[in-house]
Amino acid sequence: MKQTYTGGCQCRAVRYEVSADIGEVMSCNCLRCGKLGWQLSCVPAADFGLILGGGATSDYQFNKHVIHHLICSTCGIQSFARGSGPDGSDMVAINARCLDGVDPAALRVKAIDGRSR
């Protein structure tokens, strides 16, 4: 069931609201996600709203350059990323570790092999 969550970076320069069902998250083993320890939940872009920090992020792209990894320019935390889903629709990947009041240890984790893609 979808709930509304708030989240953002460590220094609070980047804040957002997202409507999502965060029962299960993905743990990707690609070079970037593996090093960051991301717990991903992907949502349609329409379910995500940036509240604060539109100008406070740096954009980093790697590999196929299809995902915009938006990093807080102040504290360096990447709490979300923008890209396209497999069907071409706009989506946002949320780092569940950056959601307010969510205990990452309580979430079901699905392993994703991003390293082989």
Side-chain angles (χ1 to χ4, degrees):
M1 174 183 284
K2 280 188 178 181
Q3 291 182 318
T4 300
Y5 298 91
T6 57
C9 68
Q10 180 180 355
C11 72
R12 301 183 70 81
V14 176
R15 299 293 300 155
Y16 57 81
E17 185 173 88
V18 61
S19 178
D21 182 0
I22 311 277
E24 179 177 82
V25 293
M26 297 176 282
S27 176
C28 177
N29 68 351
C30 78
L31 185 59
R32 182 162 181 78
C33 292
K35 289 187 180 293
L36 289 173
W38 267 63
Q39 287 188 335
L40 298 167
S41 181
C42 295
V43 300
D47 291 344
F48 177 87
L50 189 60
I51 298 169
L52 184 65
T57 59
S58 297
D59 185 6
Y60 174 69
Q61 296 179 45
F62 75 107
N63 194 8
K64 297 178 184 176
H65 298 267
V66 296
I67 299 174
H68 296 270
H69 300 273
L70 298 165
I71 302 156
C72 175
S73 299
T74 302
C75 68
I77 299 296
Q78 181 188 344
S79 58
F80 72 99
R82 295 184 184 272
S84 297
D87 64 355
S89 63
D90 290 339
M91 65 89 169
V92 177
I94 304 299
N95 184 353
R97 293 181 183 276
C98 293
L99 294 174
D100 301 331
V102 173
D103 178 8
L107 300 171
R108 290 186 318 274
V109 179
K110 177 181 179 181
I112 302 293
D113 185 12
R115 190 169 294 225
S116 298
R117 294 181 184 184

